[in-house]
Amino acid sequence: MDTMSGGTWRPAERVRGMGTSIFTEMTELARETGAVNLGQGVPELASPPQLLRDVADAVLGGHNQYPPAIGLPALREAVAAHQLRRYGLGLDPACEVLVTTGATEALAACVLALCDPGDEIIAFDPCYDAYAADARLAGARLVGVPLAADGDGFALDAGALRAAVTPRTRVLILNTPHNPTGKVFTPAELEAVAAVCREHDLTAVTDEVYEHLVYGDVPHRPIAALPGMRERTLSVSSAGKTFNTTGWKVGWVTGPAPLVAAVNAAKQFLTYASGTPYQGALARALDSVEEWAAGLRSQLRGHRDLLTTGLEAAGLRPFRSDAGYFVQADVRPAGYEDGVAFCRDLPGRVGVVAIPTSAFQVAEGPRWLVRFSFCKREATLDEAVTRLKRLAA
Ligand code: PMP
Ligand code: GLN
């Protein structure tokens, strides 16, 4: 009970204990201590100049009122064209594409649309922190299936996945390319996940926000493109990571019309609609995303290598990261069994902020993993790497 804020109240059960997200907490810690922030995945990188100009023109040109609730037609058409061009997925932009306020709203609306209280959702552990929160808002339960350590990377444990399915399982959330590990699910792994969805009649909700940021040999493939999956998959993506515009919060959901309609039923009462000037500009940018993304990938690949080498030089054991913004490191060589203790000490010891991977774990998992972000300017990474070397001194 809180009687300090004028009246007696208590937070509803669904938000009790949620507190502040790990990203907010760590970014605040970096600000307070002046440490280099390799915690939150906020890019310091440039956006396409034409995209920025188009947004400015749209604002000044008066495109500032509500767009249609399902999104501007131009963006829905651009998303449909993108899915067809890249993945061979044909979509009707009138009813199979829904624009959202970032992937965050898309994921919440999918879970609210698909799950009743008591239902279970499977996700691969560690996983993005919003999934557990979304499950909780819906009264559902997130069940984490640990990714298995695989040499220098992470792999699907198909046996553990099968064992996690119960009669209450309704949804499987598949995040590939994966945050926080940088894993890209292989074709064989995608097929194994799809087989479980088909056998147990699960709806797949995907999180593909890093779809354009793959640095290794395994290309990104949406699970919706696998046999028997299109009709049971809601695919989620967002413009934030692709164009370094995370503050704009424009995302989208694609899938079969009845599923998309159910998601929109929830979404229209979360935000109704948002971001008119961004939506129009992003439609144009998405039409030529391949050229832009090739340059961004080569930049980020270099940054990943810089950070990975720096973590090794600091005496930590980095894992392979094939995609996205993050590298995982085993901090035991620095004398820590617990990533939380390591991250608490790091700003004071060397002036760097990182995030303990345990913040992304639903089930019990290794305590000694820490996530470092490389979506920063080269100068930021150089400074971080120089500071981290003091760990080895
Ligand atoms: N999913 C994953 C895996 C992410 O890393 C992020 C990054 N913030 C999001 C979803 C949220 O995307 P958005 O900013 O478009 O809401
Ligand atoms: N996706 C980003 C990360 O994983 C940040 C998301 C957020 O701050 N909510 O770091």
Side-chain angles (χ1 to χ4, degrees):
M1 293 282 177
D2 181 338
T3 53
M4 303 295 286
S5 46
T8 302
W9 73 286
R10 62 184 156 73
E13 173 60 32
R14 72 178 68 83
V15 299
R16 220 168 288 160
M18 273 188 186
T20 311
S21 99
I22 187 72
F23 306 115
T24 307
E25 190 183 324
M26 288 302 170
T27 293
E28 184 56 23
L29 182 63
R31 206 188 50 75
E32 273 168 19
T33 59
V36 180
N37 187 0
L38 301 189
Q40 192 178 25
V42 193
E44 287 180 350
L45 309 173
S47 300
Q50 183 66 48
L51 172 61
L52 304 181
R53 278 195 295 273
D54 285 349
V55 170
D57 287 348
V59 171
L60 295 171
H63 298 277
N64 299 308
Q65 308 312 326
Y66 297 126
I70 62 170
L72 283 187
L75 181 54
R76 284 186 276 119
E77 279 157 24
V79 169
H82 174 273
Q83 297 301 92
L84 186 62
R85 187 171 78 235
R86 293 188 60 77
Y87 308 125
L89 286 165
L91 295 160
D92 180 349
C95 56
E96 295 188 317
V97 180
L98 173 67
V99 178
T100 57
T101 305
T104 303
E105 186 195 37
L107 290 159
C110 287
V111 169
L112 290 169
L114 295 170
C115 293
D116 283 317
D119 286 344
E120 291 175 6
I121 302 170
I122 288 176
F124 297 103
D125 223 17
C127 62
Y128 189 54
D129 68 339
Y131 309 157
D134 292 340
R136 190 150 163 212
L137 292 175
R141 190 167 79 88
L142 189 72
V143 177
V145 173
L147 291 170
D150 170 28
D152 64 349
F154 298 84
L156 172 74
D157 180 343
L161 171 58
R162 286 187 177 281
V165 180
T166 77
R168 313 265 3 200
T169 313
R170 294 279 301 276
V171 168
L172 182 145
I173 299 181
L174 176 65
N175 172 214
T176 185
H178 186 256
N179 177 6
T181 63
K183 170 185 173 56
V184 179
F185 279 65
T186 64
E189 289 175 328
L190 289 178
E191 184 42 54
V193 173
V196 169
C197 291
R198 289 188 302 252
E199 276 165 39
H200 297 277
D201 199 18
L202 308 183
T203 304
V205 173
T206 71
D207 180 342
E208 305 178 41
V209 299
Y210 299 102
E211 64 184 314
H212 286 284
L213 306 182
V214 175
Y215 320 119
D217 299 332
V218 179
H220 171 63
R221 189 162 159 73
I223 202 167
L226 270 63
M229 288 306 290
R230 190 195 184 287
E231 57 266 37
R232 58 173 67 256
T233 302
L234 284 164
S235 307
V236 171
S237 193
S238 153
K241 321 284 161 171
T242 302
F243 298 110
N244 297 317
T245 53
T246 58
W248 293 2
K249 301 299 287 189
V250 178
W252 45 85
V253 188
T254 58
L259 271 75
V260 168
V263 178
N264 187 42
K267 178 245 145 53
Q268 65 188 332
F269 295 113
L270 294 172
T271 56
Y272 179 66
S274 65
T276 305
Y278 302 126
Q279 288 192 27
L282 284 166
R284 184 167 168 196
L286 209 54
D287 282 338
S288 57
V289 62
E290 280 79 10
E291 197 188 328
W292 163 257
L296 180 58
R297 266 196 304 278
S298 90
Q299 186 181 26
L300 282 168
R301 188 182 287 116
H303 290 195
R304 173 203 61 182
D305 294 344
L306 178 61
L307 177 60
T308 304
T309 311
L311 291 169
E312 267 162 8
L316 306 177
R317 192 168 80 85
F319 284 75
R320 194 180 78 241
S321 169
D322 289 329
Y325 279 175
F326 310 107
V327 174
Q328 297 284 322
D330 178 350
V331 296
R332 286 174 297 180
Y336 290 85
E337 287 297 317
D338 180 7
V340 174
F342 176 86
C343 289
R344 216 172 268 143
D345 287 357
L346 201 60
R349 280 189 64 186
V350 302
V352 173
V353 160
I355 291 189
T357 302
S358 57
F360 303 91
Q361 280 164 351
V362 180
E364 273 304 300
R367 310 303 298 170
W368 35 263
L369 281 172
V370 168
R371 189 191 86 165
F372 294 85
S373 157
F374 57 82
C375 57
K376 307 295 174 186
R377 279 191 299 270
E378 198 171 320
T380 305
L381 289 171
D382 279 338
E383 178 61 29
V385 161
T386 304
R387 292 181 181 203
L388 284 165
K389 277 205 188 98
R390 292 188 213 136
L391 278 177

